[in-house]
Amino acid sequence: MQEMGDKELDWLRHAIGLARQARARGDHPFGAVLLGPEGELLLEAMNSCGTEGDRTGHAERNLMSEATKRFDADFMKRRTMVTSAEPCAMCAGAAYWAGLGRVVYGLSEQALKDLIGPHPENLTMDLPCRDVFAAGQRDIEVRGPLLESEAAGVHEGFWR
């Protein structure tokens, strides 16, 4: 798949904005978007752990669940998920099973773990999405971390 350059960074900032919205409504600060092959917005999602009481309600998993209801795996292999933070193992698994072709993320899983520590609501694993995808039987392109300080900003003061 082809990189989108500045447009890709704009979508990353949009995902970070969704994370801010999620935080404002009482959810964990994570957001994600699904893009078409020309960089057009297809779907967006926010974390819903707080508002729905579902600890698996991560933005990326929510996005992939909605995407699999709408699109088949052949369609998904030419799509990009842009997310405010690196997908955790669960979300990377959801992206893999959805058939996604590419992931772009802001804050790395390691940086998130360093930022929030052993918070009981987010016991972040030190397991990069690249490692999860590498265990699979097809390639998923990964680009990130990008705009990591901007992506980290939405978490400031949240995990206390």
Side-chain angles (χ1 to χ4, degrees), residues 3 6 13 31 49 52 54 56 66 68 70 79 85 91 107 113 120 125 134 136 139 155 157:
E3 288 186 18
D6 289 342
R13 287 186 173 101
C49 292
E52 293 185 13
D54 176 3
T56 68
E66 185 61 31
T68 60
R70 296 183 187 208
R79 302 304 175 260
C91 293
L107 186 63
K113 183 179 177 189
M125 300 171 75
D139 293 330
H155 295 272

Side-chain angles (χ1 to χ4, degrees), residues 13 26 45 72 74 97 108 119 122 124 134 137 153:
R13 287 186 173 101
D72 65 24
D74 188 55
W97 289 111
S108 72
H119 194 283
N122 194 357
T124 305
Q137 298 183 57

Side-chain angles (χ1 to χ4, degrees), residues 110-153:
Q110 181 62 56
L112 179 65
K113 183 179 177 189
D114 292 345
L115 181 70
I116 67 174
H119 194 283
E121 289 183 24
N122 194 357
L123 293 170
T124 305
M125 300 171 75
D126 188 5
L127 183 59
C129 68
R130 285 176 174 89
D131 292 350
V132 175
F133 297 145
Q137 298 183 57
R138 60 181 181 77
D139 293 330
I140 298 175
E141 182 183 341
V142 179
R143 184 162 182 238
L146 300 167
L147 305 177
E148 206 161 15
S149 62
E150 287 181 48

